[in-house]
Amino acid sequence: MEPRIGVFVCHCGINIASTVDVKRVVEAIKGYPGVVHAEDYVYMCSDPGQELIRSRIKEKKLNGVVVAACSPTLHEATFRNTVSQVGLNPYRCEIANIREHCSWIHTDRDKATEKAIKIVKSIVEKVKLNDELLPISIPITKRALVIGGGIAGIQAALDIANAGYEVILVEKNPSIGGHMAQLSETFPTLDCAQCILTPKMVEVGQHPNIKLYNYAEVEDLSGYVGNFKVKIRLKASYVDWSKCVGCGVCMEKCPTKVPSEFEMGLTTRKAIYVPFPQAVPNKPVIDRENCLYFKTGKCRICEKVCTFGAIKFDEQDEFVEEEVGAIIVATGYELYPIEKIGEYGGGKYKDVINGLQFERLLSASGPTGGGVQRPSDRKVPKRVAFVSCVGSRDPELHKPYCSKVCCMYLTKHAMLYKHRVPDGEPIVFYIDIRSDGKGYEEFVQRAQEEEHVTYIRGKVSKIYEDNGELVLLAVDTLTGEPLEVRVDMVVLGMAIVPSPAVYELAKKLKIQIDANGFLTEAHPKLRPVETLTPGIFLAGCAHAPKDIPDTVAQASAAASKVLEMFSQKELQHDPMVATVDEDRCSGCGVCVTLCPYGAREIEVKDGKRVAKVNEAKCEGCGSCIAGCPAGACQQRNLKDEQLVNMVKAVLE
Amino acid sequence: MEGFEPKIVAFCCKWCSYAAADLAGTSRLKIKPNFVVIRTMCSSRVDPEFILQAFLNGADGVLVAGCHPGDCHYVNGNYKTLRRVMLLKKVLEQLGIDPRRLRLEWIAASESRKFVVTIRKFVDELKQLGPLRLEAGDDNGSNG
Amino acid sequence: MKIFYYPGCTLKTQARNFECSAMEVMKLLGYELVELNRWNCCGTVYSLASDDLIHKVAPIRNLVRVKEQGGDKVVTLCAMCYNTLKQANVFFNSDQEARDKINSFMDTEIDYEGDVEVLHLLTVLRDEVGFDNISKKVVRKLNHIKVAPYYGCLLLRPSTVAIDDAENPSIMEELLHALGVETIDFPYRNECCGTYNTVSAVDLVIDRTYRIVGLARNLGADVIVTSCPLCQFNLEVRQKDVKERFPEFEQLPVIYFTQLMGVALGVPTERLGFELNHIKPKVLMEL
């Protein structure tokens, strides 16, 4: 195509014109090869300015446009839209940044003008070789995968399902509900966690648009945004759930007792079990690790007592494949293991427990029916210490970050303990109190002033057992006094850490995790629920420690991002992707190793290895192009030749 | 070397360093006009060939600027850039071009001041090195 | 096998029992502790006073002596000496500029390259001799004795020089179990003994001693075992003052781990320097 380029130089009022002699720019560029028209105008982005460009395109039969104005970040889209209105391909329009990169940062008018001319020339060189492009269209499978069935996954799944789209929900445990199901009451309103969560769990279980795979894990993922293929492992439960009616006789008769995960080891469950009475689905699984039959080859009592013939010891793990267009990762958190805190006994003192264990002690459905009893001897503790920042905010030994919820739940714990044991004495040890949510500070003040919870600012340096009591050594940093406090029980506000399986999952999904193992968002401010991999979103504590309201909000935000995608007919993708000259390509595969998105692959074509580009996956970074030893790869509208010509133009 | 004004080609990635240069403008910071920015999507798009072409066509210095390590918009493009630039510096030495004429900097979108300081220091350094003379070798360089 | 041994001042005076018992024990285990020639003060008093570079010269010069005498590692008994020498070594290896300066402070010595390994006897026993091998040499049954292991701070802090997990150490327990004695779960084992406050703030040290020794006794210990002469002094000698203040207080012997090893391995008691212990560990001496 013979270039017929028009150059439009903007004054931007005096923003450009005061430092750059725009008339001189116009004059200088007029004779430049390929330029058939050049003129200036005071505000090119104004309606008359845009109209000027449109009419000149028609009059002068322009097939390329350079607008010399502000940064392309501001008006590239504007002017590309302008030119397309009169039939010019938008990718034949480029912006020469002579404001931010020239008039605003220089003072010498003469030199600034010379520089502006160079900038315009380089952009003219680019436009000369720009191809007419169309955005790449990608079809979308309008089904979502949600990984993790805690409150984040539940909320996201319900939002998408209620909007009318199918959701595949994968939960690794026998039941959905996550950690929220373990909580007694929630701060700052003291709502009963189960009362607000159970209806949502039931809704998930019954929703016609939600396909729940409980006791299942994501095995593998392939494909790309809009077109993922996910392989799911359905772990053998050894119970035929279609036959099981949930009568519970098997659990009653099973002879093997195992510490209950749901009850945080405070009580036991059987080897065939439902994690908790409100479980969804309410069907048991056999824990292969602990089942007597699997260990010794003898027992099978559950099989004998099941009148429905639902037990099947020969079951194997199964795999299913699902196609989805978007994925939400909501794999949640664990508590940092108490074994890592040597100075607090490292787990050897029975009455030093973590926050989730205390939740179970407070819970009406817990092992004590909601009565606070200490684990060692079931006595009602008369003094309880609550220690915050255990493992958090400790960059040297443990985790550098703040776990966000401990200040608040320890306050809630102290308050609820006081409600259960009115003559009890709760003592909270803290570094700072972080009460930054709605109603949170008021809640802490209520604990201090109305409920008479003692707050001591100081980190506990040691906990040990002496004569059936626990001794805490600390310093009150407000008075500077060393303290030795004797209590009956200690509750530790352990750091929140990502669910350990997230590392493997992140590798399968090709999403990033940060130094602490949390999933990385695409942008900390402006893209907080997206990952850098298009089509994969995140929610809840898998991303960072957060409380229930923030988790629910983020889950809904992730769901709305998915719905935004699903509301489109097809996905549009920037066409400035990599291309391959198959005649030049030697099939060496360097590009395959360089591509961070898995968009490059080697294909055998007529007996010759050649590199391919998956345009839907290619994000257009260009690292494969610079790395191609044969010069066989190019980037659309940012070809080597264009860039070299641009370099030459600025050095003329 | 009185009056010598070095010419610099600055390759900036769209997401971080180009945005930092934009911010320098928006903040009305002042820089010497010795450089022109060429925008690529990622610093890893910068083929060593472009840098050699710049030197061949009269540049006294080339700046490659990208996102900080770990912050790359394209996951890890800047690490590839780092490797390429390190290698190219060795090649430049072989060609008799002082490797200080090629600079790699990590400039985040918020670091407009770093952009300004980088250019200022680069200009100063290139003034010390003097104009690039290709035929005779880079006499002013340390290995000249 | 020979290992260079850096004694330090206290091992030649107050803590001669630590030195002589260690020598006896190591001989039995087939090792010879060769005292470094021309050693000087480890430098601890200075380095605590300020962080000026000159104060690193004393410890580094000791390490130069090791090189001069053909060694590449040196073992200490005193926890304070261990800490001072090791910290100086870590610092020396982390700062090139400091390294050059320290070397230039020393005129007559060869330049130090930072390549001497500073060890404490406990780690030598664990890593070179092996607790299993020690266990095999035990000739006296001590399973009726309950021991409170006391680490103090200098073997464990800061983390750059620690010989074990600062919050949950186990090396001394492992050694004691190899010797066949029972250990108590002693929460104060890594608490501070009061150190040099024993000179200027005696009351503070008396209070520490009362708590530490008192808890060890409450938990059923017959003897406290330590590896630091200063801890040993504070915990043992200060018991007299504790007794004056708290008449109900019952004394407890405080000995070096090497002395207990000596008993277990069959070294005649009179060669273990118990005469220097103010509170005699009768339970060990009457075997």
Side-chain angles (χ1 to χ4, degrees), chain A residues 460-503:
Chain A
V460 174
S461 68
K462 189 182 282 293
I463 298 173
Y464 64 91
E465 214 167 56
D466 182 27
N467 254 335
E469 286 182 317
L470 292 159
V471 185
L472 280 71
L473 304 183
V475 174
D476 183 334
T477 54
L478 295 178
T479 62
E481 224 174 308
L483 298 176
E484 188 182 304
V485 179
R486 300 180 91 85
V487 299
D488 299 316
M489 188 165 92
V490 180
V491 179
L492 302 180
M494 302 299 306
I496 279 189
V497 296
S499 187
V502 80
Y503 182 71

Short mmCIF file of all heavy atoms in Angstrom, two decimals, chain A residues 460-503:
data_model
loop_
_atom_site.label_atom_id
_atom_site.label_comp_id
_atom_site.label_asym_id
_atom_site.label_seq_id
_atom_site.Cartn_x
_atom_site.Cartn_y
_atom_site.Cartn_z
N VAL A 460 3.71 -11.54 74.21
CA VAL A 460 4.07 -12.59 75.17
C VAL A 460 5.36 -13.26 74.71
O VAL A 460 5.47 -13.70 73.57
CB VAL A 460 2.93 -13.61 75.28
CG1 VAL A 460 3.32 -14.77 76.17
CG2 VAL A 460 1.67 -12.93 75.82
N SER A 461 6.36 -13.31 75.60
CA SER A 461 7.65 -13.87 75.17
C SER A 461 7.73 -15.36 75.42
O SER A 461 8.51 -16.05 74.79
CB SER A 461 8.79 -13.15 75.88
OG SER A 461 8.77 -13.47 77.26
N LYS A 462 6.94 -15.85 76.38
CA LYS A 462 7.03 -17.28 76.68
C LYS A 462 5.77 -17.74 77.38
O LYS A 462 5.14 -16.98 78.11
CB LYS A 462 8.25 -17.54 77.58
CG LYS A 462 8.56 -19.02 77.77
CD LYS A 462 9.72 -19.25 78.70
CE LYS A 462 11.08 -19.01 78.09
NZ LYS A 462 11.49 -19.93 77.06
N ILE A 463 5.39 -18.98 77.10
CA ILE A 463 4.29 -19.60 77.83
C ILE A 463 4.78 -20.96 78.32
O ILE A 463 5.39 -21.70 77.55
CB ILE A 463 3.06 -19.80 76.91
CG1 ILE A 463 2.54 -18.46 76.39
CG2 ILE A 463 1.94 -20.54 77.67
CD1 ILE A 463 1.43 -18.58 75.36
N TYR A 464 4.54 -21.25 79.60
CA TYR A 464 4.88 -22.60 80.08
C TYR A 464 3.87 -23.04 81.13
O TYR A 464 3.12 -22.23 81.68
CB TYR A 464 6.31 -22.66 80.61
CG TYR A 464 6.59 -21.81 81.82
CD1 TYR A 464 6.45 -22.33 83.10
CD2 TYR A 464 7.02 -20.49 81.68
CE1 TYR A 464 6.72 -21.55 84.22
CE2 TYR A 464 7.29 -19.72 82.78
CZ TYR A 464 7.13 -20.24 84.06
OH TYR A 464 7.40 -19.47 85.16
N GLU A 465 3.89 -24.32 81.38
CA GLU A 465 2.93 -24.89 82.31
C GLU A 465 3.60 -25.03 83.66
O GLU A 465 4.75 -25.43 83.76
CB GLU A 465 2.53 -26.27 81.78
CG GLU A 465 1.10 -26.65 82.06
CD GLU A 465 0.70 -27.86 81.25
OE1 GLU A 465 1.38 -28.90 81.36
OE2 GLU A 465 -0.26 -27.77 80.49
N ASP A 466 2.88 -24.68 84.70
CA ASP A 466 3.43 -24.84 86.05
C ASP A 466 2.25 -25.13 86.97
O ASP A 466 1.34 -24.30 87.09
CB ASP A 466 4.16 -23.55 86.46
CG ASP A 466 4.79 -23.67 87.83
OD1 ASP A 466 5.13 -24.81 88.24
OD2 ASP A 466 4.96 -22.63 88.50
N ASN A 467 2.27 -26.31 87.57
CA ASN A 467 1.25 -26.64 88.56
C ASN A 467 -0.17 -26.56 88.03
O ASN A 467 -1.06 -26.02 88.67
CB ASN A 467 1.37 -25.65 89.73
CG ASN A 467 1.99 -26.36 90.92
OD1 ASN A 467 1.89 -27.59 91.04
ND2 ASN A 467 2.61 -25.59 91.79
N GLY A 468 -0.39 -27.02 86.81
CA GLY A 468 -1.74 -26.99 86.24
C GLY A 468 -2.17 -25.63 85.74
O GLY A 468 -3.29 -25.46 85.27
N GLU A 469 -1.29 -24.65 85.85
CA GLU A 469 -1.61 -23.33 85.31
C GLU A 469 -0.65 -23.04 84.17
O GLU A 469 0.41 -23.65 84.06
CB GLU A 469 -1.43 -22.26 86.37
CG GLU A 469 -2.50 -22.24 87.42
CD GLU A 469 -2.27 -21.10 88.41
OE1 GLU A 469 -1.11 -20.89 88.82
OE2 GLU A 469 -3.23 -20.43 88.75
N LEU A 470 -1.04 -22.05 83.36
CA LEU A 470 -0.12 -21.61 82.32
C LEU A 470 0.44 -20.27 82.74
O LEU A 470 -0.29 -19.39 83.20
CB LEU A 470 -0.86 -21.49 80.99
CG LEU A 470 -1.29 -22.85 80.43
CD1 LEU A 470 -2.41 -22.70 79.43
CD2 LEU A 470 -0.10 -23.58 79.81
N VAL A 471 1.76 -20.15 82.58
CA VAL A 471 2.40 -18.90 82.96
C VAL A 471 2.82 -18.18 81.69
O VAL A 471 3.43 -18.76 80.80
CB VAL A 471 3.64 -19.16 83.84
CG1 VAL A 471 4.23 -17.86 84.34
CG2 VAL A 471 3.28 -20.08 85.00
N LEU A 472 2.43 -16.91 81.60
CA LEU A 472 2.81 -16.10 80.45
C LEU A 472 3.82 -15.05 80.90
O LEU A 472 3.58 -14.34 81.87
CB LEU A 472 1.60 -15.36 79.87
CG LEU A 472 0.66 -16.14 78.95
CD1 LEU A 472 -0.14 -17.14 79.75
CD2 LEU A 472 -0.27 -15.20 78.22
N LEU A 473 4.94 -14.98 80.21
CA LEU A 473 5.90 -13.91 80.48
C LEU A 473 5.72 -12.86 79.39
O LEU A 473 5.64 -13.17 78.21
CB LEU A 473 7.33 -14.45 80.45
CG LEU A 473 7.65 -15.61 81.40
CD1 LEU A 473 9.13 -15.97 81.28
CD2 LEU A 473 7.29 -15.27 82.83
N ALA A 474 5.63 -11.61 79.83
CA ALA A 474 5.42 -10.53 78.86
C ALA A 474 5.93 -9.24 79.46
O ALA A 474 6.35 -9.20 80.62
CB ALA A 474 3.95 -10.41 78.53
N VAL A 475 5.88 -8.19 78.65
CA VAL A 475 6.18 -6.86 79.16
C VAL A 475 4.99 -5.99 78.80
O VAL A 475 4.50 -6.02 77.68
CB VAL A 475 7.46 -6.28 78.51
CG1 VAL A 475 7.67 -4.84 78.94
CG2 VAL A 475 8.67 -7.11 78.86
N ASP A 476 4.49 -5.25 79.78
CA ASP A 476 3.47 -4.25 79.47
C ASP A 476 4.22 -3.05 78.91
O ASP A 476 4.89 -2.33 79.64
CB ASP A 476 2.72 -3.88 80.75
CG ASP A 476 1.59 -2.90 80.47
OD1 ASP A 476 1.71 -2.16 79.47
OD2 ASP A 476 0.61 -2.88 81.24
N THR A 477 4.11 -2.85 77.62
CA THR A 477 4.94 -1.81 76.99
C THR A 477 4.41 -0.41 77.28
O THR A 477 5.04 0.57 76.92
CB THR A 477 5.04 -2.01 75.47
OG1 THR A 477 3.72 -2.08 74.94
CG2 THR A 477 5.80 -3.26 75.13
N LEU A 478 3.25 -0.31 77.89
CA LEU A 478 2.76 1.03 78.25
C LEU A 478 3.34 1.47 79.59
O LEU A 478 3.54 2.65 79.83
CB LEU A 478 1.23 1.05 78.29
CG LEU A 478 0.56 0.81 76.93
CD1 LEU A 478 -0.95 0.82 77.07
CD2 LEU A 478 0.99 1.86 75.92
N THR A 479 3.62 0.50 80.48
CA THR A 479 4.22 0.86 81.76
C THR A 479 5.68 0.47 81.82
O THR A 479 6.41 0.88 82.71
CB THR A 479 3.49 0.16 82.92
OG1 THR A 479 3.66 -1.26 82.76
CG2 THR A 479 2.02 0.50 82.95
N GLY A 480 6.11 -0.36 80.87
CA GLY A 480 7.50 -0.82 80.85
C GLY A 480 7.76 -1.93 81.88
O GLY A 480 8.91 -2.28 82.14
N GLU A 481 6.71 -2.47 82.43
CA GLU A 481 6.89 -3.44 83.51
C GLU A 481 6.90 -4.88 82.99
O GLU A 481 6.01 -5.25 82.21
CB GLU A 481 5.72 -3.31 84.47
CG GLU A 481 6.10 -3.32 85.91
CD GLU A 481 4.88 -3.04 86.76
OE1 GLU A 481 4.19 -2.02 86.50
OE2 GLU A 481 4.60 -3.86 87.64
N PRO A 482 7.85 -5.69 83.42
CA PRO A 482 7.78 -7.11 83.05
C PRO A 482 6.63 -7.79 83.81
O PRO A 482 6.38 -7.47 84.97
CB PRO A 482 9.12 -7.68 83.50
CG PRO A 482 9.86 -6.59 84.17
CD PRO A 482 9.00 -5.39 84.27
N LEU A 483 5.92 -8.68 83.11
CA LEU A 483 4.76 -9.31 83.72
C LEU A 483 4.92 -10.82 83.75
O LEU A 483 5.51 -11.41 82.85
CB LEU A 483 3.49 -9.01 82.90
CG LEU A 483 3.05 -7.56 82.76
CD1 LEU A 483 1.85 -7.51 81.83
CD2 LEU A 483 2.69 -6.98 84.11
N GLU A 484 4.36 -11.43 84.78
CA GLU A 484 4.24 -12.87 84.81
C GLU A 484 2.77 -13.13 85.13
O GLU A 484 2.31 -12.83 86.23
CB GLU A 484 5.16 -13.44 85.90
CG GLU A 484 5.24 -14.94 85.87
CD GLU A 484 6.13 -15.50 86.98
OE1 GLU A 484 7.30 -15.12 87.07
OE2 GLU A 484 5.60 -16.30 87.76
N VAL A 485 2.03 -13.60 84.14
CA VAL A 485 0.59 -13.73 84.30
C VAL A 485 0.23 -15.21 84.32
O VAL A 485 0.64 -15.96 83.42
CB VAL A 485 -0.15 -13.01 83.14
CG1 VAL A 485 -1.65 -13.17 83.29
CG2 VAL A 485 0.22 -11.55 83.11
N ARG A 486 -0.53 -15.62 85.32
CA ARG A 486 -0.93 -17.04 85.41
C ARG A 486 -2.38 -17.16 84.98
O ARG A 486 -3.24 -16.43 85.48
CB ARG A 486 -0.73 -17.54 86.84
CG ARG A 486 0.72 -17.45 87.30
CD ARG A 486 0.89 -17.95 88.71
NE ARG A 486 1.21 -19.38 88.74
CZ ARG A 486 2.44 -19.88 88.61
NH1 ARG A 486 3.45 -19.08 88.42
NH2 ARG A 486 2.63 -21.17 88.66
N VAL A 487 -2.64 -18.07 84.07
CA VAL A 487 -4.01 -18.26 83.56
C VAL A 487 -4.31 -19.75 83.49
O VAL A 487 -3.42 -20.60 83.66
CB VAL A 487 -4.18 -17.62 82.16
CG1 VAL A 487 -3.94 -16.13 82.19
CG2 VAL A 487 -3.27 -18.28 81.14
N ASP A 488 -5.58 -20.05 83.17
CA ASP A 488 -5.99 -21.46 83.06
C ASP A 488 -5.93 -21.95 81.62
O ASP A 488 -5.86 -23.15 81.36
CB ASP A 488 -7.42 -21.63 83.58
CG ASP A 488 -7.52 -21.23 85.05
OD1 ASP A 488 -6.62 -21.62 85.81
OD2 ASP A 488 -8.48 -20.52 85.40
N MET A 489 -6.03 -21.00 80.69
CA MET A 489 -6.06 -21.41 79.29
C MET A 489 -5.54 -20.25 78.44
O MET A 489 -5.67 -19.09 78.85
CB MET A 489 -7.50 -21.75 78.89
CG MET A 489 -7.63 -22.37 77.53
SD MET A 489 -9.25 -23.13 77.30
CE MET A 489 -10.12 -21.79 76.59
N VAL A 490 -4.96 -20.58 77.30
CA VAL A 490 -4.46 -19.53 76.39
C VAL A 490 -5.03 -19.78 75.01
O VAL A 490 -5.03 -20.91 74.52
CB VAL A 490 -2.92 -19.53 76.31
CG1 VAL A 490 -2.44 -18.42 75.38
CG2 VAL A 490 -2.29 -19.36 77.69
N VAL A 491 -5.52 -18.71 74.37
CA VAL A 491 -5.98 -18.79 72.99
C VAL A 491 -5.02 -17.96 72.14
O VAL A 491 -4.80 -16.78 72.42
CB VAL A 491 -7.41 -18.24 72.85
CG1 VAL A 491 -7.88 -18.31 71.40
CG2 VAL A 491 -8.36 -19.00 73.76
N LEU A 492 -4.44 -18.60 71.13
CA LEU A 492 -3.46 -17.91 70.30
C LEU A 492 -4.10 -17.45 68.98
O LEU A 492 -4.75 -18.23 68.29
CB LEU A 492 -2.29 -18.84 69.97
CG LEU A 492 -1.51 -19.42 71.15
CD1 LEU A 492 -0.39 -20.32 70.64
CD2 LEU A 492 -0.92 -18.32 72.03
N GLY A 493 -3.90 -16.18 68.67
CA GLY A 493 -4.37 -15.65 67.38
C GLY A 493 -3.32 -15.96 66.33
O GLY A 493 -2.49 -15.13 65.99
N MET A 494 -3.36 -17.20 65.81
CA MET A 494 -2.33 -17.66 64.88
C MET A 494 -2.44 -16.95 63.53
O MET A 494 -3.53 -16.63 63.08
CB MET A 494 -2.46 -19.16 64.62
CG MET A 494 -2.38 -20.04 65.84
SD MET A 494 -0.85 -19.95 66.74
CE MET A 494 0.35 -20.30 65.49
N ALA A 495 -1.30 -16.80 62.90
CA ALA A 495 -1.27 -16.19 61.57
C ALA A 495 -2.12 -16.99 60.60
O ALA A 495 -2.22 -18.22 60.71
CB ALA A 495 0.17 -16.12 61.06
N ILE A 496 -2.70 -16.28 59.66
CA ILE A 496 -3.45 -16.93 58.59
C ILE A 496 -2.49 -17.21 57.43
O ILE A 496 -1.77 -16.30 57.00
CB ILE A 496 -4.61 -16.02 58.16
CG1 ILE A 496 -5.75 -16.21 59.15
CG2 ILE A 496 -5.03 -16.28 56.73
CD1 ILE A 496 -7.02 -15.55 58.78
N VAL A 497 -2.44 -18.45 57.01
CA VAL A 497 -1.57 -18.79 55.88
C VAL A 497 -2.42 -19.43 54.78
O VAL A 497 -3.48 -19.98 55.08
CB VAL A 497 -0.42 -19.75 56.29
CG1 VAL A 497 0.51 -19.08 57.28
CG2 VAL A 497 -0.96 -21.04 56.89
N PRO A 498 -1.97 -19.32 53.53
CA PRO A 498 -2.79 -19.90 52.47
C PRO A 498 -2.88 -21.42 52.61
O PRO A 498 -1.96 -22.05 53.13
CB PRO A 498 -2.07 -19.50 51.19
CG PRO A 498 -0.75 -18.97 51.59
CD PRO A 498 -0.77 -18.66 53.04
N SER A 499 -3.96 -21.93 52.14
CA SER A 499 -4.16 -23.37 52.13
C SER A 499 -2.96 -24.02 51.43
O SER A 499 -2.56 -23.60 50.36
CB SER A 499 -5.44 -23.63 51.35
OG SER A 499 -5.77 -24.96 51.43
N PRO A 500 -2.34 -25.03 52.06
CA PRO A 500 -1.06 -25.53 51.54
C PRO A 500 -1.13 -26.06 50.10
O PRO A 500 -0.15 -26.02 49.37
CB PRO A 500 -0.67 -26.64 52.52
CG PRO A 500 -1.82 -26.85 53.41
CD PRO A 500 -2.74 -25.70 53.31
N ALA A 501 -2.30 -26.52 49.70
CA ALA A 501 -2.41 -27.10 48.35
C ALA A 501 -2.38 -26.03 47.27
O ALA A 501 -2.30 -26.35 46.09
CB ALA A 501 -3.69 -27.92 48.25
N VAL A 502 -2.44 -24.75 47.67
CA VAL A 502 -2.58 -23.70 46.67
C VAL A 502 -1.34 -23.60 45.78
O VAL A 502 -1.42 -23.23 44.62
CB VAL A 502 -2.90 -22.34 47.35
CG1 VAL A 502 -1.68 -21.68 47.90
CG2 VAL A 502 -3.63 -21.43 46.39
N TYR A 503 -0.20 -23.99 46.31
CA TYR A 503 1.03 -23.91 45.54
C TYR A 503 0.95 -24.79 44.29
O TYR A 503 1.23 -24.36 43.17
CB TYR A 503 2.21 -24.31 46.43
CG TYR A 503 3.54 -24.22 45.73
CD1 TYR A 503 4.09 -22.98 45.43
CD2 TYR A 503 4.23 -25.36 45.36
CE1 TYR A 503 5.30 -22.88 44.78
CE2 TYR A 503 5.45 -25.28 44.70
CZ TYR A 503 5.98 -24.04 44.43
OH TYR A 503 7.18 -23.95 43.76
#
